[in-house]
Amino acid sequence: MASTYSPSLRIELIGAGEQAGTWNTTTNSNLGTIIESAIAGYVSVSVTSANQAFTALDGAPDQARNAVIALTTTTGANFNVYAPPQEKTYIIYNTTAFTATIYNSTVLGNTTAAGTGIAIPAGKKILVFSDGTNFYSVDIFNLTGAVTSVGNVTSLGSFTSAQLLGALTDETGTGSAVFATSPTLVTPALGTPSSLVGTNITGTAAGLTAGNATTAAAATTLATTNFSIVESGGKLFFKYGVTNIASMDSSGNLITLADITAFGTP
């Protein structure tokens, strides 16, 4: 009975009574070359056309059997590669500046896609596996639970503020992420800040309520450029610069430095 070959890795299966005295040559090739390349083999494949099948040979070294396949290209454009229509796991390293897509062939060696392919972006390394018809990728989106890292994560990929918001569980507010330099906040509610410097605040005082702002003299002050109103000792003092020009107590008694004119024009 002549030798046959396994469907997935194309290993030579010696027929009964065959290769007497030389079977070790075939066995050594099976174990030391064929199986070893399927588990730990690395091959670089130069892609020279838009659609190219990996070489697949019975009982001999080939491209399709290797565990890791690095892709180069001379096409100058995106390209497709085709693996045999069998179950197989690969690490594909796309060293090119173009997108590579891996498919299963419908028939060994052809460039007709049997099912769904997986795109490997330029410069990326992706673990893929096939059920003989469709290829699938193993990536972070299929992981569950918390992902932790020791040290800094140097690349997070690209995502929006809304996507980041969806990943958080203890956020407050909505909208875009805000950073320290020149941010623009839209209708923020600041609550009661522990400290607040209002040097460059502009606008009108129509909606401003002066609460318990204090000075070094423990007085509440409402100030403009030249005038100020200071609460101290149960009285309101009206000042021009540092001079008290009037005061009013809690009973409404008003004392001024000059005459009071009623019903006049201010």
Side-chain angles (χ1 to χ4, degrees):
M1 179 180 177
S3 293
T4 56
Y5 296 88
S6 64
S8 293
L9 297 181
R10 299 166 302 285
I11 297 172
E12 183 174 357
L13 308 175
I14 301 173
E18 294 291 322
Q19 300 185 24
T22 61
W23 66 267
N24 62 305
T25 302
T26 300
T27 299
N28 290 343
S29 176
N30 284 341
L31 297 178
T33 301
I34 307 301
I35 294 178
E36 195 167 78
S37 66
I39 296 173
Y42 174 96
V43 66
S44 180
V45 175
S46 176
V47 179
T48 58
S49 63
N51 293 277
Q52 182 170 314
F54 295 143
T55 60
L57 306 174
D58 288 336
D62 63 18
Q63 296 169 347
R65 192 182 292 111
N66 284 269
V68 181
I69 299 178
L71 301 175
T72 64
T73 188
T74 59
T75 62
N78 297 339
F79 58 90
N80 304 317
V81 291
Y82 296 81
Q86 299 292 339
E87 298 90 344
K88 184 74 168 68
T89 300
Y90 293 102
I91 295 174
I92 304 295
Y93 178 17
N94 181 9
T95 70
T96 78
F98 307 98
T99 297
T101 303
I102 185 169
Y103 295 97
N104 281 117
S105 300
T106 55
V107 177
L108 185 67
N110 76 4
T111 54
T112 301
T116 303
I118 291 295
I120 302 99
K124 299 299 182 181
K125 310 174 188 71
I126 295 183
L127 176 64
V128 297
F129 64 94
S130 168
D131 60 9
T133 301
N134 300 300
F135 265 100
Y136 306 90
S137 65
V138 178
D139 52 43
I140 195 168
F141 298 106
N142 294 328
L143 299 178
T144 59
V147 177
T148 60
S149 173
V150 177
N152 296 324
V153 178
T154 58
S155 177
L156 293 175
S158 176
F159 50 87
T160 66
S161 294
Q163 290 169 330
L164 177 61
L165 178 64
L168 301 175
T169 58
D170 59 352
E171 74 283 350
T172 181
T174 59
S176 299
V178 175
F179 296 94
T181 302
S182 302
T184 297
L185 301 178
V186 180
T187 61
L190 298 179
T192 304
S194 59
S195 63
L196 185 63
V197 177
T199 304
N200 296 319
I201 295 175
T202 61
T204 65
L208 177 64
T209 300
N212 296 320
T214 61
T215 65
T220 298
T221 302
L222 178 62
T224 64
T225 301
N226 297 308
F227 291 89
S228 61
I229 302 174
V230 179
E231 179 185 359
S232 180
K235 290 183 177 182
L236 286 180
F237 291 92
F238 299 85
K239 293 176 173 287
Y240 182 80
V242 296
T243 303
N244 288 332
I245 58 175
S247 68
M248 185 173 64
D249 63 19
S250 60
S251 297
N253 297 311
L254 182 64
I255 303 173
T256 69
L257 286 179
D259 297 334
I260 296 176
T261 301
F263 306 110
T265 301

